[in-house]
Amino acid sequence: MTACAIEGGSAGAAATAEPEPERGTEPDPEPGPGPETRPVAEPGPRPGAEPVATDRPEPRTGAEPRPGPGPGLSAPVRTGPGPIPATAPEEDPAPRSRVAAPPPPAGITLTADGAYAARLTAAPGPPGERSWYPERWTLDGPEPYAVPLPLDQPEEPDSEVAPLADGRVLIRRRVADRQMFSLLYPTGPGTGELLLGTVEHPEMTLLPPSPDGRCVYALAAGERGSSLWLVAGGPRGPEEVARVAGHCSGGTWLDREGRMLALDRREPGGGPVKAVAVDLGRWGEVTPLLQIAPESDDRLLLADADSGLLLIRSDAPGHDRLGWGVLGSCLPVRFPECLRLPEAVATPFAVQPGQMLMPESCAVALRIDGARGSWVGVWRPTGRRLHQFAAPLGWLSGAGCWSREGVLRLPYANAATSCGVAMLEAPEDVEPSCVTGRTEDGDDGTEPSAALAAPVVCKPVPLGQAPLHGAVRPD
């Protein structure tokens, strides 16, 4: 796949809703001008990289209207059993203090189809004395419910769990310098356990459950080499299925069969991080996937197998930006202005499925982290607008899934509801006027769309040939 990077691929201000404060996080954006600070010049592209083309509109002269806060929740919100999600206060959710990259999402993992989820939770008790145990959530019934899966001995808080499509839950436990894997399942009033085996490695991380619903893989990362293990779904217990040179992280599935896996890799000798594709059907064959500029860090955050939409984080424009591209096409990688929040970090966590060959129409859910907590964003590439919503109270941040009809399901747990799902319908995007670049009412605070600005010559920037052209899309 060859493409070019476009900075400011779409422009627009967000329709904002103040989130309920939870806990502070630390994203690392550039500070904007304020009463006691000078404007900071935007850094240029990475040294040695080809110029990154931009289709950002020319600045307008005269006073620029300041985007005002949105009207709150601009789309209907339905909830499962439990309290209604937190309503949006009137202030702009963008925090006023400098923050840095968000912490890892709350510990809950969903199956690829969103039918089951699993997390490690703690029984009530004083801090330091709480007993941890796995819990399975059933989300595809008339109403969600949780099944506790405790054993005779409490779990360590650094254990990991992942649900399977048959309702069982995989658990990874660290015992000394070994990793132990078991399957847990409810058996009447108790919990059954099937020991799968152990791996002699001090550190391993579970990857997202395979789209086939049967397999779970774990990554053992080292500085000079990383190994990929099939820990559930194999015929003989945990087995090594691939070795990749360099230090690997991430983990994104590129197809619905659970064969093509994308990892973010740093070469053994150091250098930038580049996403690579690992073909598990060809004994772990590794091929390049992303290379926007020679010295840029290009990570794949999320992929949709139906449409081919890719969500990418790269510093090719000179600093970390969230962008999007299309797998197996020659369309450019774009870095929308509306996803560049001045003092918060947006991380995609779910893409609307079922949009066959229509990546621009996919609704994308994002976790937005700022100094005042975490809230939810909804964006479509074709809409060029980021809609922001307050999260339900107790949202397991960074977790959720879309239905094919465009309904976002957000799992939450709080003092009143131990297992709940809030449902948010994706808002409609208002098309800007093709003459003025504004919506017809002119008062929504959006800036002119980059797509409607004067054409700009785009110089292609090498993007590693995608090894999956036509492989991840159904015939």
Side-chain angles (χ1 to χ4, degrees):
M1 175 171 64
T2 56
C4 63
I6 296 184
E7 185 172 2
S10 52
T16 60
E18 174 71 51
E20 187 77 13
E22 293 187 46
R23 64 175 186 275
T25 55
E26 306 123 324
D28 187 21
E30 301 165 345
E36 298 181 1
T37 61
R38 298 181 180 179
V40 178
E42 189 173 280
R46 302 278 300 199
E50 297 187 36
V52 177
T54 173
D55 60 359
R56 182 184 296 170
E58 294 294 327
R60 289 173 284 175
T61 58
E64 190 76 15
R66 182 179 182 88
L73 294 176
S74 59
V77 174
R78 296 173 289 135
T79 65
I84 296 176
T87 55
E90 297 179 355
E91 296 181 7
D92 184 349
R96 304 303 178 191
S97 61
R98 187 178 177 88
V99 286
I108 191 167
T109 303
L110 279 68
T111 54
D113 61 1
Y116 290 103
R119 67 168 181 160
L120 203 66
T121 189
E129 300 180 11
R130 304 176 70 187
S131 297
W132 295 86
Y133 61 92
E135 187 176 67
R136 188 199 71 193
W137 289 28
T138 300
L139 305 176
D140 61 347
E143 63 182 47
Y145 65 92
V147 176
L149 297 173
L151 294 171
D152 296 336
Q153 184 175 351
E155 307 292 346
E156 295 295 329
D158 63 349
S159 300
E160 290 183 297
V161 292
L164 300 181
D166 61 6
R168 294 182 296 176
V169 173
L170 174 78
I171 184 167
R172 177 200 61 80
R173 304 182 180 100
R174 183 173 64 180
V175 180
D177 288 338
R178 297 178 300 160
Q179 308 294 324
M180 298 183 61
F181 298 92
S182 296
L183 286 175
L184 306 179
Y185 51 93
T187 56
T191 301
E193 180 177 17
L194 174 63
L195 181 64
L196 297 177
T198 62
V199 176
E200 298 286 342
H201 202 283
E203 296 291 340
M204 295 185 78
T205 303
L206 293 183
L207 297 180
S210 171
D212 65 8
R214 299 182 300 103
C215 300
V216 180
Y217 294 82
L219 180 66
E223 289 302 317
R224 303 194 62 83
S226 302
S227 57
L228 190 65
W229 290 74
L230 174 62
V231 297
R236 297 177 297 274
E239 60 178 321
E240 187 178 32
V241 294
R243 290 191 180 184
V244 182
H247 182 273
C248 293
S249 59
T252 302
W253 292 103
L254 300 172
D255 64 347
R256 295 224 174 265
E257 291 72 38
R259 169 175 171 172
M260 303 301 301
L261 176 69
L263 296 173
D264 301 325
R265 179 181 69 170
R266 190 185 301 275
E267 293 283 357
V273 176
K274 303 290 184 182
V276 297
V278 181
D279 189 344
L280 301 178
R282 295 180 62 88
W283 306 282
E285 181 181 72
V286 178
T287 50
L289 182 62
L290 290 177
Q291 183 173 311
I292 299 178
E295 297 300 322
S296 62
D297 289 332
D298 307 321
R299 294 177 169 88
L300 181 62
L301 304 181
L302 208 58
D304 177 61
D306 294 336
S307 64
L309 179 65
L310 304 179
L311 280 303
I312 299 161
R313 191 178 298 281
S314 174
D315 60 1
H319 50 280
D320 274 337
R321 293 285 299 273
L322 188 62
W324 69 279
V326 180
L327 187 65
S329 82
C330 294
L331 295 177
V333 174
R334 294 178 173 89
F335 296 92
E337 276 294 311
C338 65
L339 298 184
R340 185 185 181 190
L341 305 180
E343 296 186 354
V345 169
T347 304
F349 63 87
V351 179
Q352 180 185 359
Q355 307 299 297
M356 300 295 183
L357 307 180
M358 298 172 59
E360 295 86 355
S361 65
C362 290
V364 179
L366 303 102
R367 164 182 168 166
I368 304 175
D369 293 282
R372 300 185 183 183
S374 300
W375 59 100
V376 182
V378 176
W379 165 82
R380 291 185 184 89
T382 191
R384 303 179 180 90
R385 181 184 180 97
L386 177 63
H387 304 267
Q388 300 183 43
F389 304 91
L393 182 64
W395 176 43
L396 300 169
S397 301
C401 64
W402 287 99
S403 71
R404 291 176 177 263
E405 296 72 31
V407 177
L408 178 62
R409 309 179 73 201
L410 302 171
Y412 68 92
N414 53 43
T417 304
S418 60
C419 175
V421 175
M423 289 180 281
L424 170 66
E425 294 182 0
E428 295 295 330
D429 291 302
V430 179
E431 290 294 332
S433 167
C434 61
V435 176
T436 64
R438 295 178 178 273
T439 52
E440 293 183 1
D441 58 14
D443 60 355
D444 67 339
T446 57
E447 299 175 1
S449 168
L452 303 175
V456 177
V457 176
C458 175
K459 181 178 179 181
V461 177
L463 186 70
Q465 183 67 31
L468 308 175
H469 181 72
V472 299
R473 297 178 181 175
D475 295 330

